[in-house]
Amino acid sequence: MTVQTVSTRPFADQKPGTSGLRKQVPTFQQPHYLQNFVQAIFDSLEGYQGQTLVVGGDGRYYNREAIQIILKMASANGFGRVLVGQGGILSTPAVSCIIRKYQAFGGIILSASHNPGGPEGDFGIKYNTGNGGPAPENVTDAIFARSKVIDQYRILDASDVDLDRIATTHLSNTRIDVVDSVTDYAALMESLFDFDLIQQFITGGNFRLCIDSLHAVTGPYAKAIFERRLNAPAGTVQNGEPLEDFGGGHPDPNLVYAKDLVKVLFGENAPDFGAASDGDGDRNMILGRHFFVTPSDSLAVLAANATLVPGYREGLAGIARSMPTSQAPDRVAAKLGIDCYETPTGWKFFGNLLDAGKATLCGEESFGTGSNHVREKDGLWAVLFWLNILAVRKQSVEAIVQEHWATYGRNIYCRHDYEGVDSDRANTLMANLRNAVGTIAGQSFGSYQVDYADDFSYTDPIDGSVSQKQGIRIGFKDGSRIVFRLSGTGTQGATLRVYLERYEADPAQHDQDTQVALADLIGLAEAIAQIKEFTGAIGPP
Ligand code: G1P
Ligand code: ZN
C-alpha cells in the first residue's frame, strides 16, 4: 500500500451550496472530480493528523464508490481512524451523533438529501465539523477557494475495504472500523424519549401508525426502532429497503412525493399517525388521520409540549427557526418567556446557537426539525417526539394542533416553488426586488400595509459573522409576511421560492383552506416580484 500523489486541475464549479456540493452523478464520475473536492476539504482543515473521521451516506447510486475513494484519501492524508457505516449507510443525523459520541475530528456525508438518485440522478458530499454539524460558511468558503487552485491530491493505492462486514481493518496506518449504522443513533433516541410509554401506547390496540422511508436511508433505522424495539407490527415501516435510486421515487417527505403515505392517511380506515423521512433521514413529514401538520406548526407544537418528554423535561433554553419558517414558534417562545432566533436558511446557522446553549429546539419550514441532541435536523427524532407527546396526551394529532391554534392563533402558511427558471432571469427578479425594498416599505397593497421590507441579513450572536442577501422579506402590519429567495440546493437552473404567511387569531377561522386563506397574498407576491414575467409561470405552481 503506497501513497500516490496525483496531479489534477481545478474544476470551477465546486462551490458548496445550502448543504454541501450537489451535482448530477455523471459530474461526480468525471475523473478526479470527487477526489479534488475531498482533497480541498482536507486542505482546508488543520490538526486532523491521527484523528478520527466519520464517513457514511444515504445509499444512493455512487455511494459505495465514493466511500472507497474517501477511505483511501483519508488514509493517505493521515487520519488515524475512520468510522464508516455498514454498507456505507449512515443517515445524516446518525453521522452527527457518531461524530459527537466518539469525539471525531469531523465527518463526510454522501447525500443529495431529498433529490432523486440513480445513474442520472443527483449525488452530493458535505463536510461536518467536530461539533457534529455542517461546516460553517468560513469553512465551506475555504474549501471552495482551495478547489479553485488545487493541483494534486493524495490517495492510497490499496484494494477496497469490505463495507458489508462489521469489522476493524487497516488501510496502511489508518484503522478502519465498519460500524453498525443504527446502534449509536438508536441509543441516543432511547435516552431522550420514554420508549416504554411509547411502546405501551402503540401496542395497546387503540393507536395505529405508518412510517414511510421512501426507499431511502431511514429504512433500517425505522425498522430497528419502531418494529423491533417498540414492537410496532411488522409492516409498520413501508418502503423500508434503501435502494440506489430510491425505487425511482423522489425521497422528499411532503404531500407531493410521499404520495403512498398520503393515500393511506387520507384514505378510508386511515391510521392515527403517519410519518415519512427523506433521502438522508434529516427531514420529516408528520400526518394525522386526514390531517397534515405544517413543519412550522410542528416545531411550535413540539416546543409547546417539550416538557412532556424526558429529554426536555427541564424546559427549553430557546427556539431557533430559519427566516422563511412561519412565526408560529415565536408565539410559543413569547409565552414561555424564552428567545426565538431567526436565522438564514440552512441548518449550519443553528450550530453556534446550539453549541452556546442558546437554543434547544430548531426548525425549518422545509420539513426539518431538530434539537441540541445532535447538530443536524433529525427526521426520526421528530417522529419519536410526536409519538411521545401523543402517548402522554392521548389525543389525536388534529386535536393537538387545533388546540394549539386556539391557544396561540394560527399562522396560515405555504411555500410555492417555481422550478427550472432560467438562472439569469431569476437573478434579475431578485435584483429588482432588492432594488425595490426601499420603496416598498411604508406602502399599502389593498388592506395590507407594509411594516418593513428588507433583504435579510444575519449577524451571528455568538461569533459576530455576518451573512447577507439571505432573502427578501416583506412584513405587513397584521403579522402577515411574504419572503422571496432562490434555492441553494438545486442542480439545474434556478428555483424561486416564495413563502407566504398570514396570522389568524380567530378560532372560528382556523379551518380555512390554506390556498384560499392566502389567495390575496399570493396575488400580491406575484405582482410585486413580477413572477409571471420572469418565470413564465401562470398561477402558483
Ligand atoms: C432547502 C431548504 C432548506 C434546507 C436545505 C437542506 O434549501 O429550503 O431549508 O436547509 O434545503 O435540506 P434551498 O433549496 O431552499 O436552498
Ligand atoms: Zn435531507
Side-chain angles (χ1 to χ4, degrees), residues 14 50 81 149 152 161 167 172 175 196 204 210 262 267 296 326 336 383 388 407 437 452 461 482 536:
Q14 297 198 322
R81 183 183 181 197
V149 295
Q152 58 179 44
V161 172
S172 185
R175 171 177 161 174
D196 292 342
C210 181
V262 170
S296 302
S326 99
L336 293 173
V383 175
N388 202 147
T407 307
V437 285
Y452 62 88
I482 303 174

Side-chain angles (χ1 to χ4, degrees), residues 113-114 278 280 282-283 377:
S113 189
H114 48 286
D278 73 332
D280 61 330
D282 56 359
R283 293 185 176 201
K377 57 195 175 221

Side-chain angles (χ1 to χ4, degrees), residues 18-19 114 283 345-347 364-366 377 415 485 487-489 497:
T18 311
S19 193
H114 48 286
R283 293 185 176 201
T345 296
W347 208 261
E364 294 195 275
E365 52 67 42
S366 53
K377 57 195 175 221
R415 173 178 116 183
R485 59 179 283 282
S487 160
T489 57
R497 302 203 194 286

Side-chain angles (χ1 to χ4, degrees), residues 203-361:
T203 56
N206 294 318
F207 183 84
R208 285 182 299 135
L209 77 162
C210 181
I211 307 288
D212 195 332
S213 290
L214 298 173
H215 286 306
V217 80
T218 58
Y221 295 85
K223 282 188 195 165
I225 293 173
F226 297 107
E227 296 187 6
R228 293 201 286 279
R229 172 62 182 84
L230 294 169
N231 281 338
T236 294
V237 179
Q238 63 184 36
N239 300 324
E241 295 302 323
L243 299 176
E244 285 197 331
D245 66 348
F246 310 116
H250 203 126
D252 202 359
N254 59 35
L255 294 171
V256 175
Y257 293 120
K259 49 184 179 308
D260 293 353
L261 181 75
V262 170
K263 220 185 260 168
V264 173
L265 268 291
F266 284 82
E268 266 176 50
N269 191 26
D272 302 275
F273 180 85
S277 307
D278 73 332
D280 61 330
D282 56 359
R283 293 185 176 201
N284 73 91
M285 176 172 70
I286 303 293
L287 300 175
R289 180 185 294 135
H290 300 182
F291 193 80
F292 164 66
V293 186
T294 71
S296 302
D297 279 344
S298 179
L299 174 62
V301 169
L302 298 188
N305 290 276
T307 53
L308 301 179
V309 171
Y312 306 91
R313 199 142 274 160
E314 306 300 317
L316 307 177
I319 306 174
R321 63 161 175 83
S322 68
M323 181 273 281
T325 301
S326 99
Q327 297 161 96
D330 305 41
R331 297 182 178 271
V332 178
K335 188 152 185 217
L336 293 173
I338 57 177
D339 286 327
C340 187
Y341 297 89
E342 184 173 44
T343 59
T345 296
W347 208 261
K348 57 184 175 234
F349 294 100
F350 295 134
N352 279 351
L353 295 169
L354 293 166
D355 284 349
K358 298 222 174 263
T360 310
L361 298 190

